[in-house]
Amino acid sequence: MSRQANRGTESKKMSSELFTLTYGALVTQLCKDYENDEDVNKQLDKILFSHFLPRGYNIGVRLIEDFLARSNVGRCHDFRETADVIAKVAFKMYLGITPSITNWSPAGDEFSLILENNPLVDFVELPDNHSSLIYSNLLCGVLRGALEMVQMAVEAKFVQDTLKGDGVTEIRMRFIRRIEDNLPAGEE
Amino acid sequence: MADAALFEFLHTEMVAELWAHHSDPGPGVSAGPRGESGGATTGQKMSLCVLEGMGFRVGQALGERLPQETLAFREELDVLKFLCKDLWVAVFQKQMDSLRTNHQGTYVLQDNSFPLLIRMASGLQYLEEAPKFLTFTCGLLRGTLSTLGIKSLVTASVASLPTCKFQVVIQKT
């Protein structure tokens, strides 16, 4: 898929593509490292998974500070507020898209983020033998790391991906528990 | 449209891979049995060479997205100026601070507050680690130059954070 660079915004375009290109180069490199080893191909998803989740987590841990400093959002009182902030503020700020929030569980502890397009895969075509879900797994790590820093233990996973041929990209978020601050006795 | 912070954070993680402990620290993909399971990473370590190569690919891709008019540079110096202004602004939201040349194919590009170093330290602390944070960008410059039809060697040096210099030596074939 080729893109015509708009003269006036070419600089901005390059800037926005830098992240997706770099991420793509990273995945390509990882795939290359293993492409000659038949046994490993089966484990590739697991290897990529083990690579990206903790790295994504590290990014999330730092990203949340950047986000809080720039966005001026206050503390979220419940998971619904959190969902709103993630979709309407965070995704907009970092990826320029606003996913929709759907499929709330009756208990209010799970929801889905629906992305019309997966921003990480703008220029990507995966070879047949690599699972596309794992490609975007960095995002799940980022979400988990960021929310842990604001005292929320969550699980994030891709349940649909346009790269895999699904109609939309869907991230399922599940609230596990609140993480209590470990303050020494007598301090609050 | 991805925010600049995302690239910075991802870059930090990629550089961190250089220090990552691998259970099988072989030089490349090994044909032997994999004893590890569940989360252990095996195979080729991230290396400076690999990091530079990734920067190169990204630089090439960025170069390919430029409109045709931009590519009609009359002189080599114009290309370097383009790197210092347009490319640097697109990637780092600022221009290169100085460009010097000996007019014989060697250029020194100096950035007095390189964004990938700025969060680290100021002065001489972490001087030894600093070059690792420049490798990807060296590749990026080399890659963009390559798309613009110029073969080069790009190296970087740091005397004092966050100032760094990129040395571009044009290769005449």
Side-chain angles (χ1 to χ4, degrees), chain B residues 28-66:
Chain B
V29 178
S30 72
R34 296 191 184 278
E36 322 305 324
S37 65
T41 51
T42 55
Q44 186 177 345
K45 264 160 86 158
M46 174 72 74
S47 66
L48 287 178
C49 171
V50 166
L51 203 52
E52 205 269 356
M54 292 200 302
F56 180 79
R57 267 200 293 286
V58 174
Q60 272 188 318
L62 283 179
E64 277 160 19
R65 278 156 179 74
L66 299 169

Side-chain angles (χ1 to χ4, degrees), chain A residues 1 3-7 10-23 25-30 32-37 39-40 43 46-47 50-52 54-56 58-59 62-63 66 70 92-97 119 123 138 142, chain B residues 1-14 16-18 20 22 29-32 34 36-46 50 54-55 57-58 61-63 65-67 69-70 82 86-87 89-93 119 136 140:
Chain A
M1 181 183 355
R3 295 209 167 183
Q4 289 300 328
N6 185 324
R7 199 170 314 177
E10 113 213 1
S11 194
K12 210 171 184 192
K13 207 170 169 25
M14 274 210 280
S15 164
S16 74
E17 291 166 0
L18 179 63
F19 174 71
T20 53
L21 286 169
T22 304
Y23 189 70
L26 180 59
V27 175
T28 305
Q29 184 57 48
L30 284 173
K32 237 190 226 182
D33 290 348
Y34 299 105
E35 92 193 334
N36 294 324
D37 190 322
D39 291 336
V40 178
Q43 293 186 65
K46 202 167 163 197
I47 290 169
S50 73
H51 249 99
F52 284 134
R55 290 293 170 205
N58 292 348
I59 291 174
R62 257 175 259 126
L63 195 89
D66 183 78
R70 287 163 59 185
K92 184 97 181 84
M93 184 185 290
Y94 290 107
L95 291 170
I97 58 168
F123 312 105
L138 190 90
V142 174
Chain B
M1 174 171 76
D3 185 272
L6 283 181
F7 168 70
E8 268 188 52
F9 292 134
L10 181 62
H11 178 266
T12 304
E13 289 307 307
M14 279 159 41
E17 285 276 309
L18 292 171
H22 288 255
V29 178
S30 72
R34 296 191 184 278
E36 322 305 324
S37 65
T41 51
T42 55
Q44 186 177 345
K45 264 160 86 158
M46 174 72 74
V50 166
M54 292 200 302
R57 267 200 293 286
V58 174
L62 283 179
R65 278 156 179 74
L66 299 169
E69 308 88 75
T70 323
F82 168 81
D86 303 71
L87 181 73
V89 165
V91 175
F92 297 116
Q93 292 78 51
R119 290 181 203 241
F136 181 89
L140 190 90

Side-chain angles (χ1 to χ4, degrees), chain A residues 115-118 121 160-169:
Chain A
L115 292 70
E116 299 289 312
N117 311 296
N118 182 345
V121 306
Q160 292 192 76
D161 198 336
T162 50
L163 199 58
K164 218 182 178 188
D166 296 320
V168 292
T169 296

Side-chain angles (χ1 to χ4, degrees), chain B residues 76-77 80 100-108 151 167-172:
Chain B
E76 196 175 83
L77 186 59
L80 270 297
R100 287 197 206 91
T101 178
N102 63 359
H103 297 287
Q104 285 170 22
T106 298
Y107 299 83
V108 177
K151 198 163 171 215
Q167 180 167 299
V168 178
V169 179
I170 310 295
Q171 308 289 294
K172 304 285 183 206

Side-chain angles (χ1 to χ4, degrees), chain A residues 120-135:
Chain A
L120 288 182
V121 306
D122 271 349
F123 312 105
V124 171
E125 263 178 37
L126 281 182
D128 296 325
N129 55 337
H130 295 314
S131 163
S132 66
L133 272 184
I134 304 302
Y135 188 86

